[in-house]
Amino acid sequence: MTQRLNYIQQSPELFKKFLEFSNRMKEAAIEHSIVDLVQIRASQMNGCAFCVDMHVKEAKLHGERELRLHHVAIWRESTLFAPRERAALAWTEVLTRIPEAGVPDDLYERVRTQFSEKELSDLTFEVMAINGWNRANVAFRTVPGSSDKVFGLDKAGLQ
């Protein structure tokens, strides 16, 4: 894969603002383990190799088990995810590929049983953020692993 252009260099101020927005997510009401799953699943769905690579390594550094990382793509069939994680993954999927009829009421109600209104709002912003990053990195073909040293992801021990 060859990167098409470096959007960070071309639009440094916009990049900086979007990065600030994304970094604010660290203050959100959602636990890091769920954020990791959300970032991985949206990135898988969007075909963002750079982001899947990055977020799998981050999750590993955060202590996520390798088998669960492999099961994110098959989370519905897997027995490794708790109801709250399943709700977050379902919310991620519906917001990543919004159906023509919108978000179904039954899904919203199911997710609301697992998250407070504040948590659901924060989760929605997290999905928005990762989808934005996915779009930029897919559009410009950012090379997976190309920022590992910058982000300390080389410490994940995944090659």
Side-chain angles (χ1 to χ4, degrees), residues 121-147:
S121 179
D122 287 358
L123 178 61
T124 301
F125 277 103
E126 186 61 54
V127 175
M128 290 166 50
I130 190 56
N131 274 283
W133 289 117
N134 289 165
R135 278 144 181 76
N137 288 301
V138 167
F140 301 122
R141 294 185 180 156
T142 309
V143 177
S146 60
S147 296

Side-chain angles (χ1 to χ4, degrees), residues 3 5-9 15 19 49-51 53-55 57-58 61 133 137 141-156 158:
Q3 187 164 338
L5 68 81
N6 186 324
Y7 66 92
I8 298 167
Q9 290 175 350
F15 169 78
L19 184 60
F50 177 83
C51 293
D53 181 82
M54 169 185 273
H55 296 300
K57 290 171 182 172
E58 284 180 336
L61 288 170
W133 289 117
N137 288 301
R141 294 185 180 156
T142 309
V143 177
S146 60
S147 296
D148 281 4
K149 287 197 189 305
V150 173
F151 296 117
L153 301 176
D154 50 335
K155 294 176 181 76
L158 300 173

Side-chain angles (χ1 to χ4, degrees), residues 53-156:
D53 181 82
M54 169 185 273
H55 296 300
V56 163
K57 290 171 182 172
E58 284 180 336
K60 180 82 170 131
L61 288 170
H62 295 152
E64 186 58 77
R65 295 180 311 175
E66 286 189 47
L67 185 58
R68 282 173 38 99
L69 294 173
H70 291 290
H71 278 227
V72 172
I74 57 157
W75 66 269
R76 281 184 182 81
E77 294 80 20
S78 176
T79 59
L80 301 179
F81 300 99
R84 184 170 165 90
E85 293 168 327
R86 291 176 176 285
L89 290 165
W91 193 248
T92 299
E93 288 186 356
V94 78
L95 293 183
T96 297
R97 295 207 180 120
I98 298 175
E100 192 172 311
V103 176
D105 289 337
D106 64 325
L107 176 59
Y108 174 77
E109 293 304 326
R110 196 167 11 130
V111 172
R112 279 284 293 124
T113 66
Q114 297 297 321
F115 294 95
S116 70
E117 289 182 355
K118 166 74 168 129
E119 290 171 331
L120 185 53
S121 179
D122 287 358
L123 178 61
T124 301
F125 277 103
E126 186 61 54
V127 175
M128 290 166 50
I130 190 56
N131 274 283
W133 289 117
N134 289 165
R135 278 144 181 76
N137 288 301
V138 167
F140 301 122
R141 294 185 180 156
T142 309
V143 177
S146 60
S147 296
D148 281 4
K149 287 197 189 305
V150 173
F151 296 117
L153 301 176
D154 50 335
K155 294 176 181 76

